[in-house]
Every structure is written in structure tokens, then in C-alpha cells.
Amino acid sequence: MNKRNVVLAFLALAALLVAPHFLKSYGLYLLTYWLVFILATMGLNLTVGYAGQKSLGHAAFFGIGAYTVAIMMKAGLSFWLGLPAAALLCFLVGLALGFPALRVQTIYLAFATLGFNTAAWLVMRNEEWLTGGTFGINNIARPSLFGMSLDGSLAYYHFTLGMTIIFAALLWGLLRSPWGKAFTALRDNPIRAESLGVDIRGYTLLSFAIGAAYAGIAGALFASLVQFIDPAPFTVGSSIMMYLMVVVGGPGYFLGPVLGAAVGVVLPEWLRFAQAWYLFVFGTAVVLLMIWLPDGLLSIPDRLRARREAREASAARSAAAARHGGNA
Amino acid sequence: MTDFLQLFFSGMATGSIYALAALGFTLLWQASGTINFAQGEFVMLPAFAMVGLIAAGAPLPLAFVLTVVLAIGVLGWAFKRGVVDPLFRHGMMPIVVATIGLSIALSNGVRAGYSAEAHPFAGMFPDRIFNIAGVTITLADCGTLAFALLLVLATQSFLARTVTGRAMQAVAQNTESATVLGINVPRMIFYTFAINAALACAAALLVTPVYLAKFDMGVSLGTKAFFAAVIGGFNNSRGALLGGVIVGVGENLAAAYVSPQYKDAVALALFMVVILFKPQGLLGRKEERKV
Amino acid sequence: MKKALIALVMAALMTAPAIAQQTIKIANIVELSGPGTTSGTNFKDGMLLAVKEINAAGGILGRKIETTTNDTQSNPGVAKGLTQKAIDQDVFAIFGPVFSGSIMVSMAESRRAEIPNFTGGEAAAITQQGNPYVFRTSFTQATAMPKIARYITDQAKHKTLALIYVNNDFGKGGREMLMKALEKSPTKIVADISTDSGQIDFSAAVLKAKGASPDAIFVYTNEEESARVLRELRKQGWTKPVIGETVLTSQKVIELAGEAANGAIAHVGLTVDAPLPAIRAFRAKFEREYKYISDHNGMKGYSGVYALKAAIEKVGKLDRKAVAVAMKTLKVKAADQPGILMDVEFDKNGDLDRDSFLTEVKGGKQEVIATLPPLSKK
């Protein structure tokens, strides 16, 4: 991380800590919502952006996490028991879902995960004894931390912010480790990675499992944030939205999900001035954004750098040509 | 047995419509690597075009022809030039996301600009009921099935028998060698988009009497067509019909004999089995891995 | 980049206009996209029509009403956020959401802020939680289902009934209430068939219902699905009664199902076809304004605003708490306040009671065949 990035990170953190004081409860709610989706899409970014596995079933893990915490809390268990349980359960299911990834690739993998999401949604909707079916689960409590209640929206915001930073830091560490290198090797050229001794099977499974665990944690935070869950936010459509967030933000960029989740969560709210047309504007904006920046928003710096280098190179060339011309 | 036949036939009629949309899915994928998540909206839009034209006084056949022309321009040419061409070389992800954005924009544009209500749509077949050996069949079901079958078979024989169709298939299989053979690749790809647009109009003509013209009609249609396309084989167009019929009949039989709540699970299970064990689809041939 | 984005978000959030005390602010939080679009759009249009009329006539207590409309995307999480937004803007009352799942979540927020919240939701649970700030604009399923059950058992004397319902909170909630109402009656439910929202092919559902050979089939699904069920019933030659609640005989279903709707019978809490002058007038005004015919949700939104108006006028000042208290015992007569559409009584839970209708589709038109008195009158 170079000096400029460190400064930027501190500025961002300061903004995130100061912002709530200028926001009313709705703004705070939206900001917390955004953080939850950052956490969820960071997991998806690992699977899709770093390891290059196409996954269209992320919302299923998000849902499994949310339901795990909600059901456990309704059974009288603590949130602090539910959260690791949600993460662990998602990790295991993610591991299991990774197996098809070993058999099939690219679009077929995307289809398989999409099918998994549909199946998970059917269970959430139909098994009323467990999930409350379409009635959902209401009045999910917010946890307390060291005797401090996180019931208020500001407290819960700080809690979510803390969780997001902790897990982002963990992911950062993971990606800097040899594991992270192995993930990108898997994405860029699996055949070469294998010949270099990367355990393709293991890393494919891990990329799914870790990504799923992040979704599970985010789901747990989501359940406590909204305090109500039903199957609707965990459909294939939601998975597709999460995929959209990752791709729009910039897959394979560490901070891509931060921008991507802002596009998916905050942009539609901000576009509400367009009244009935706001989702039309949103959809059109996504199309135009993709055409303009197919590699996502965070490819802008790379693109600027590439342009500058191209300019410098051509300047150097013409300078050299001028020199030669002078000599001639 | 009568019950079974009733369900079977009804499912066939529904499934043949899925097949029309599924066929478009596979054509676009083969020709240009586009997974069109707005395929359902590509059927919704012509449906509304026809509703509008009919409301303006045009008879159904004229409305249909005008809609096809319009669709080839907008959903064929403009979609290809505006969205697919600039993103083609960037791989699958940007195109997928762009078509997701497109589907959001199209359905919500129609909702905000036209109506959030469902509009009835008179089909081209009269609403007459027959009774054959205890099985009730409407003329509309028969007509839909026949018309959809005809279209799917016509498209396939066009691809297999005509020079243009073969050239299109050559492009789908290997763009580079097609270029070497002197085939005008961009034009062939455009033809594929045009055929997809025309098929979407035909699907709209057939489904709207049942689905009703509504801004969100594309969601469930798109999903079902997608399942049908994968089951039939995503990288060939032979299986689309089989896939559509399997999905249509499967959900009916499952609702009646397994559990109405899990009626989608049958198609889903088959979908998963196909992906994991026969990804080229039930009627597909195995494809060599491209490196 | 991120900071700029946050600044942008904050700017967007803080542009909420300063509250002018001259107006009464009402937030409309409804389903304008997603599965609830049709209901939400009707509710919103009805509500806005009432506001327009009231403003044209000089407002409430001389003050004009100012509305904001926001789309929940049929998503409870978004509905909760939007309710907070309305609270931030210090609105006087909130209308919506219509979906029961959404109001169950969002009403916790409006309760905390002590803002009267009018909903179109029909699930019984909404008013069973002792929330003093939530009010209905229609019957709950706990009121409507006993009325139609009474018809099925006592009047039509059906011994067996097949039930086709839609698998969402609306359909399931209604199913539970109907089963409860029929529990001790001689009418038995012989088939219980779940269908999906947005389902196209109902041949299996109808086949199953017919297979149980019931005296009548009860259909409890949303508009488009009801139309498809009716068509399939006709196709498969079902000639015995088809019964429903509110949706089945609605204008929209008749328009979509055509001939197949003839003969369907339903209990309707609110219908634009009721033979009452206030409702006739409403229907005409609504159609002129929006170019389509309102369903019961449009009437809910419309009459809800007039209920609020009556409560404010009763209190005589703009005091949310006092208005909420007044709502609990509010009685409004259509003769005094035509916009209320029908004489209505609210109870201490926020539920309402009034006349309702038994309707039948005859010759492509909904006809009222009986007016049923409020439950409390029996």
C-alpha cells in the first residue's frame, strides 16, 4: 500500500466516522445497509473477482446466514453464538457447492450456482416450521456487546462499521498471503497454475467457502439490521444484483465492492428524484457504465495510467524521431 | 390416464412457448457469447408494442408485422450495436451485467411510461374448447403448440439447409475459420440477432393472451426459457424444443403428483443433473475445450 | 472517491425541504415495483386523488396537504428505511405499505415516532400487536373470511370445499383465517392447493381441485392468477360454484378472464360497483383522472385519507397523538363525509368495521347480490 492509499484510507475512515453526525435515521440506516452489502460482496469478489469462479448464488448464502441467526435468536440463543454458526454453516455449504465447480466451468458453473440459489429459496419459502415461510421472521433483536446495547441505529452502525473493517482487514491479509496469489493464479490461467504446483481443487473449494462465509456474516448483520426476514431478499434476482455490484465496482479490485455496493444500494435511493422513472434511470446507468468501463469503476486509475503511459511513450517516440531527424 | 394426458398436453402448449424464447437464448449465446438476461423483456416489449398498435386501430396481423420490423431494428440492430459490440471483447461478465441493467431499465420504463396494470390481449386463435377422449383442449392451445413447433422447426431447417443458415452456424462454431472462408461475420451475427428479435415477437404473440401484457411478464418467462435452454443444451439449438417441453410438462406433473409447492423443483433437479453430467444438454454434442 | 460519494449521499439526504408549517405532510410509502406493483399503484393513485380533492376544497383545517411518494420495491427492508425517511421529514401521517410483510416491519418505526400509519394490508396480525398508531383502510382477513364462511355454510350450504390459494403472505394468511372460520362448521375442506404468485399454467391445480369432487371451489389468489384459474376452470368444464374474497370478482379479473368470470361469487369489502352514490362518484372521478378502473386498493387509499381528515377535524388541531387516539373510536358517515365512501367505525385496535357486499359476476359485470351488515351488528 503506497502512501497515497494510506492517506485515502484514513480520509475514508474519518468520513465514515463523522458522516453519521450529519445524517438522520434514514441516512444512517442506508449507510448501514450499504456496509452490510460491502461485506457480502467482498466475499463474492473473492470468488468471482480474485479466483475467477462464476457464481450466481451468493444471495443464498446471505440468506442462510440471516436465517441461521434469526432462528437461533428466536430459540433464545445469543447473537454471538449465531454469528459464528452462520459463518461456519455458510463455509461448509460453500465448500459443498465448490464441488460442482471442480466438474464444470464458466457459464455452467454460474448456472449450477443459480440452480442452488433457487433450491435454497424454495426451502426458505416452503419449510414454514423452520423459516416462517412467506410470513418470515419478525422482531429479530439486535445484539449487545460487552453489556452495551446495540439497539440504537448509531450504535448498530458503529458495530457494522467495525465488523466490516475487521473482515476487510482479514481479507486484505489473506489476499497478500501466498493463498491470495494462488487465487489469482487460478483465475488467470488454471492450467499454468496447476503446473506450478497450485492445488487447484483445494483453492477452488476455498474460494467458494470463504466467499460464502463472508455472505453468511453479512446476512447475520442484515437480519439484525432490518429485524425482519422473509425469503424475498434471497432470490436469484438478489444474487444477480450482488454479481452486478461486484462487476460494476471492479472485480478483482480490493475496494471494488465498496463502490459496487454503493451503486447497488445507494444509487437507486439517490435517483429517487426521478420519481416513477428512477429504476429505469438506474438500469440505463448500469448499461452505460458497463459500456464505458467494462472492467468496473475502479479500472479508472488503471485506465488513466495506461493512457498516460501511452502518451509518454508516444512523446518519447516522437522525441526520438525528432532527434533522428535532426541527425539526418 | 385422462388426467395425465390433460396435464401433459397443457404442459406441451406452455412448453412450446418456453422453447421459442429458449431458442433465442441459445442462438445469441452461440453467435456472440451473449447470455441475455433481458430475454424475457425482449418478449414483453413487442407485446406492449402490439397492444399499443392495436389500441391505435391497427388489425392484429398488421400490428404484428410492424412490431417485427420495429423489433429487428431495436432489439436486433440497436441492441447489437449499442450493447453487445462494445462489450464483446471484454468477456462474459460485462455483457451479463449490461443485460441485467437493460432488463431493469426496460421493465421499469414500460411501467413508468405506459402502465403498471396487466392488459388483456386477444390471441389469434378463437377461444373454442374441444373434448377428445375426456381431455379438454382449447383451440388456442393447439394453435400455440402448432405455431411454435412450426417456428422452431423452420428456424432449425433454415440454419441447417440454407447457405446463409450454414454460414451463421459456421460463425457460431468458429469465427476465425469462418472469416478465412470469406463469410461476412458481422452480417451473420446481425442475422442471428434479427432472428432472435423476430422469435421474441412470435413468442409475444403466442404468450400474451395467457401471460397478459404486463411490465414484469418477462421475469418468469425469462427464467423458464433459461431453464429450458440449459436443459436442451446451451451451445446448440436442437434441444431448445425438448427443453421447453420438459420444463412445461415437468412443472404440471410435479404440481399434480409430487407437491404443488415444489413444482419448480423437478425442472430444477433436471437442470442441475444436466449441468453436472451432460453440460452440452440432452441433445447436445460434446464440445472441445477452448484454451 | 469514496469521500466524494459519501458527500454526494449526504447532500442527497439533506436536501429534504425545510418543513413549512402551513402544510400537512403525508408520506406515501407503497409498492410501485416488484410483485406488489398493481396493489401499490392503485393505493397510491386513490390516495393522491383524495388529496387533490381535499386541497381543491381548501384542505384540512384550512391547511393544504403535501405528499411525497416513495417506492418500497415490495421489499420490507426498503419499506423500513423509507419509513425512517418519512419520520426524518417530520410527516404528519404515513400511508402504506400495502403488503402485509412490509407494514409489519415498518410500523415498528412509525410507532416509535408516534406517527399515525394507514395500511392497506389485510393480514390479521398487523393490528394484533397493540400498536396504537396503525390503522387499517380495509377489513382484515379475520373479519372478511368469517363473513364469506357464513355464506358458504349457511346460505349456499356447501358441504365440501376445495381451496386454491397463492403461496405468499396474503394467500396463506387468508387460507388460515378461512380454515379457522370453517373449523366448527359442517363445511369440510377436501383439497388444499398451493399455487405460485405469477403462475401461468393452472391445469394441475384445477385438476386436483376437481379430483376431490367438492361442492364448490374457493379461489384466493391475486388478480392475474385469479383470471387464469377461472379460465382453466371453464376449460376443464367446472360448472359448480366458484367462490372468492375481494379479488375474484374484481373489475380487473373480469377484464382479464372475460367470459370465464361469469358466475363467480365473492365477498367484497370495497367495490367500485357497489350501488352507493359516493362510490359511483369515486369510480367516475378515478377513471377520469387515471384512465383505468380502480380496484379495492384504490378505494383503500382514497377513503383512508378521508378517515384521517375526519379524525383531524374531530380533534380540531394538528396533534398526532390526539389524532391517533381519536382514530380509535372514529365513526364516520358517508352522508357527512362522502369521501369515506361508506359508513365506517374504527375500534380500539385500529381495525374497521362496515357493511360489505356479496357480489356475483353476471354477463361480464360485477353485480351486488346482497349487502352484508358489519360483523358487530350480528
Side-chain angles (χ1 to χ4, degrees), chain A residues 56-77:
Chain A
L56 284 178
H58 209 59
F61 298 114
F62 192 57
I64 292 172
Y67 273 106
T68 306
V69 161
I71 292 166
M72 285 178 73
M73 285 178 87
K74 283 290 165 189
L77 297 168

Side-chain angles (χ1 to χ4, degrees), chain C residues 230 241-244 248-249 253 260-266 359-362 369:
Chain C
L230 287 170
V242 186
I243 304 171
L248 192 67
T249 56
V253 172
N262 287 340
I265 292 174
T359 58
E360 182 177 351
V361 182
K362 287 180 187 166
I369 49 177

Side-chain angles (χ1 to χ4, degrees), chain A residues 12 15 22-27 29 33 125-126 128 134-135 138 225-228 258 262 266 270 272 278-279, chain C residues 2 5 9 12-14 33 70-71 73 76-78 80-81 84-85 88 104-105 167-169 172-173 196:
Chain A
F22 296 97
L23 293 173
K24 296 187 188 171
S25 58
Y26 167 65
Y29 179 77
Y33 213 96
R125 190 195 66 173
N126 291 339
E128 206 170 313
T134 49
F135 296 119
N138 203 354
L225 168 68
V226 181
Q227 302 181 288
F228 168 84
V258 176
V266 184
W270 186 65
R272 277 184 190 275
Y278 81 107
L279 286 177
Chain C
K2 188 156 60 176
L5 198 84
V9 174
L13 296 173
M14 287 162 68
S33 59
N70 278 305
D71 168 27
Q73 301 164 9
V78 177
K80 181 183 170 114
Q84 293 183 344
K85 186 176 178 179
D88 291 346
M104 291 289 278
V105 183
N167 192 352
N168 58 23
D169 57 342
K172 275 197 164 173
D196 285 350

Side-chain angles (χ1 to χ4, degrees), chain A residues 246-258:
Chain A
V246 168
V247 175
V248 164
Y253 290 96
F254 185 72
L255 291 177
V258 176

Side-chain angles (χ1 to χ4, degrees), chain B residues 230-239 242 278-287:
Chain B
V230 172
I231 291 173
F234 213 66
N235 53 19
N236 71 81
S237 40
R238 284 186 299 279
L242 182 68
K278 207 170 182 306
Q280 67 274 28
L282 290 178
L283 291 184
R285 285 194 210 100
K286 202 162 174 74
E287 187 188 32

